[in-house]
Amino acid sequence: MRRKTFGEAATAVVLGLLIPLSGCGSSGDGAGDGGTLRLVAAEYGDTPATSSKAYWDKVTGDFTAANPGVKVEVRLLPWADIDREVSRMVKEGKAPDMALMGSYSDFAAQGKLYSAEELLSVGAEANFLQPLAEAGTVNSHLYGLPFVASTRLLFYNEALFDKAGIKKAPKTWSELKAAAKALKDKGVKFPYAMPLGPEEAHAEALIWELSNGGGYADASGNYSLDSEKNIRTWQWVKDNMVTPGLVGPTPPSRLNRADAFAAFLRGEVGMLNGYPSLAHDAAAKGITVGAVAMPVSDSLGTAESPPTVGVADWMVAFKQNGKGAEIGRFLEFVYRDENLADFVGRYHLLPATASAARTPAGGGLSQTDEDFLSALRTARLYPVNDPSWVTVSDTIKRNIGRAVEPGGDPKAVLEEIANKAVEVGDKS
């Protein structure tokens, strides 16, 4: 199946980076008045102590001190609610001035957003890392301003590898299978944790498909959800990882990413795909983690280097309240290196700008963070600049796990997902 995606640079992004917390901050709806800007932002913390409120209080306070007469009110919402809530506000004619969230293209398609060129200086617009800027672009205009990002690497518990006698990290699928078998033989609960549950299955799925030369879209930006490469990927996964019991006691379709990460932090997982914050959490618990690129299929071989999955969240600015000048001034301030680096340092993410990546919080990146940043420069992101992606990604999340269930048919499942994408695209 093929369908042209929305815009000229259909690449990709995982929706939402961290486990959400209940909302806090201002509780009012959108339309601003006078010298007040209203920002609705996702909550990145997972406890009151790590809430994003402290960061936004500092940034907005510093901004108002430097720009008397312009206040910024911030309302924090959980990741599970923010996209839906902002959509409701826009539909009711109460759009906030800005939102930091997981999607943007539906608003861009409706003509609701300012473009970066209407808000930022040329230097600020050019400072975004290229893969992220491409993913935020629709019809040659940048509407989704990337804020923070991440990539995925294969994590492995070095102590469990030593216990199983595994001397080196796997580079191919056959080596990954052999490592998983060795871990299983030593009693590791989840030799390879494969989260294909509805929370974030589209991330795990894309990682595997890219490692066999497939993916969600082809080089021309057309959906290729049921390509032969993708079908072969899931048949291999089913036959070589799931059926032999190398993925642990929880069926992949029922294992969510948060549960897989929690099991990793309990020392129950040999291998899984993770991002920077998990590495920092593991280190805090005394777990030594190795991080490498996802192994490639044996048909590709180690001479091939498929892109990793890129992850980003988006700052968007709404036209409704006519405050483009004030919004631009605030965003120029937020995207200063010291402010962006402060945010990513708090949550162990990666900055979306080239200059902030060179001057991270704390005076430097760890080697693992450097590896993630290197992977980000060539990462593949989801086709978030297609308005259909929200529905298509939800279809993937809720169905791809069926491809590897006992009696499951990978070809049939992928064709169902592809047909749904056609149906959604015909309506958009």
Side-chain angles (χ1 to χ4, degrees):
M1 184 278 292
R2 299 288 188 273
R3 189 180 78 76
K4 182 63 181 176
T5 54
F6 183 71
E8 296 179 350
T11 47
V13 180
V14 176
L15 304 180
L17 299 176
L18 296 176
I19 300 170
L21 183 71
S22 58
C24 54
S26 173
S27 59
D29 270 354
D33 36 59
T36 300
L37 295 175
R38 288 180 169 83
L39 166 65
V40 177
E43 171 62 87
Y44 284 74
D46 55 8
T47 69
T50 61
S51 172
S52 303
K53 184 178 186 299
Y55 171 82
W56 289 114
D57 283 350
K58 180 179 186 304
V59 167
T60 57
D62 291 348
F63 173 76
T64 298
N67 296 270
V70 183
K71 293 176 58 181
V72 184
E73 294 182 358
V74 181
R75 178 186 178 191
L76 297 178
L77 291 174
W79 271 113
D81 298 338
I82 187 164
D83 283 17
R84 181 180 65 252
E85 180 66 7
V86 172
S87 294
R88 179 194 65 80
M89 295 166 68
V90 172
K91 185 175 182 180
E92 294 178 356
K94 299 177 180 179
D97 298 296
M98 297 162 287
L100 174 58
M101 55 193 298
S103 62
Y104 74 89
S105 59
D106 49 347
F107 302 129
Q110 299 169 40
K112 303 284 189 182
L113 302 180
Y114 287 109
S115 65
E117 63 197 75
E118 296 175 287
L119 300 170
L120 303 178
S121 65
V122 173
E125 184 179 358
N127 195 23
F128 294 114
L129 294 171
Q130 187 61 28
L132 305 180
E134 289 180 357
T137 295
V138 173
N139 295 331
S140 301
H141 296 285
L142 181 64
Y143 292 103
L145 279 59
F147 188 67
V148 291
S150 182
T151 50
R152 301 297 172 96
L153 295 174
L154 181 74
F155 285 11
Y156 60 94
N157 183 314
E158 292 188 354
L160 294 181
F161 263 43
D162 289 343
K163 179 181 177 182
I166 304 168
K167 302 301 184 183
K168 60 180 182 179
K171 294 184 178 181
T172 64
W173 285 1
S174 60
E175 291 177 0
L176 180 110
K177 177 183 177 181
K181 186 178 184 306
L183 290 162
K184 181 183 180 182
D185 290 345
K186 288 298 183 179
V188 175
K189 187 173 183 179
F190 294 89
Y192 176 91
M194 184 176 291
L196 295 179
E199 178 190 3
E200 205 181 42
H202 58 317
E204 181 74 9
L206 184 57
I207 291 167
W208 276 95
E209 291 176 7
L210 289 174
S211 67
N212 191 32
Y216 292 153
D218 62 24
S220 299
N222 300 310
Y223 278 133
S224 55
L225 298 164
D226 59 347
S227 70
E228 285 299 319
K229 288 181 178 179
N230 290 347
I231 292 169
R232 288 197 296 270
T233 292
W234 293 110
Q235 192 65 59
W236 189 94
V237 170
K238 179 186 177 185
D239 294 343
N240 292 275
M241 298 296 294
V242 180
T243 300
L246 301 181
V247 296
T250 306
S253 62
R254 299 179 190 173
L255 182 65
N256 281 319
R257 186 264 305 155
D259 297 327
F261 280 18
F264 188 82
L265 295 176
R266 294 194 298 267
E268 298 174 353
V269 175
M271 299 176 284
L272 54 58
N273 286 297
Y275 48 67
S277 61
L278 179 61
H280 287 271
D281 291 344
K285 290 182 175 293
I287 298 173
T288 304
V289 178
V292 295
M294 177 66 183
V296 298
S297 67
D298 293 82
S299 60
L300 284 185
T302 55
E304 298 281 347
S305 299
T308 188
V309 169
V311 178
D313 298 322
W314 309 101
M315 183 73 76
V316 296
F318 291 93
K319 292 181 176 180
Q320 179 178 304
N321 304 315
K323 295 185 177 180
E326 294 86 353
I327 292 171
R329 211 183 320 164
F330 178 67
L331 292 182
E332 288 269 0
F333 187 84
V334 169
Y335 278 99
R336 288 182 181 177
D337 290 348
E338 63 271 22
N339 291 328
L340 191 56
D342 181 14
F343 190 90
V344 302
R346 290 171 187 255
Y347 298 109
H348 305 298
L349 298 169
L350 300 174
T353 65
S355 58
R358 292 192 294 268
T359 56
L365 292 173
S366 69
Q367 182 57 55
T368 299
D369 286 344
E370 289 282 7
D371 292 341
F372 278 108
L373 185 59
S374 177
L376 180 62
R377 294 190 173 98
T378 57
R380 181 76 53 81
L381 291 93
Y382 304 145
V384 289
N385 42 13
D386 185 327
S388 72
W389 172 245
V390 172
T391 301
V392 172
S393 65
D394 187 66
T395 302
I396 295 170
K397 287 188 289 186
R398 298 184 185 283
N399 290 280
I400 192 63
R402 294 192 294 114
V404 298
E405 290 177 345
D409 182 344
K411 185 175 187 292
V413 171
L414 290 178
E415 287 176 347
E416 285 180 29
I417 294 170
N419 289 336
K420 178 66 174 179
V422 170
E423 178 185 332
V424 174
D426 289 344
K427 294 178 181 178
S428 63

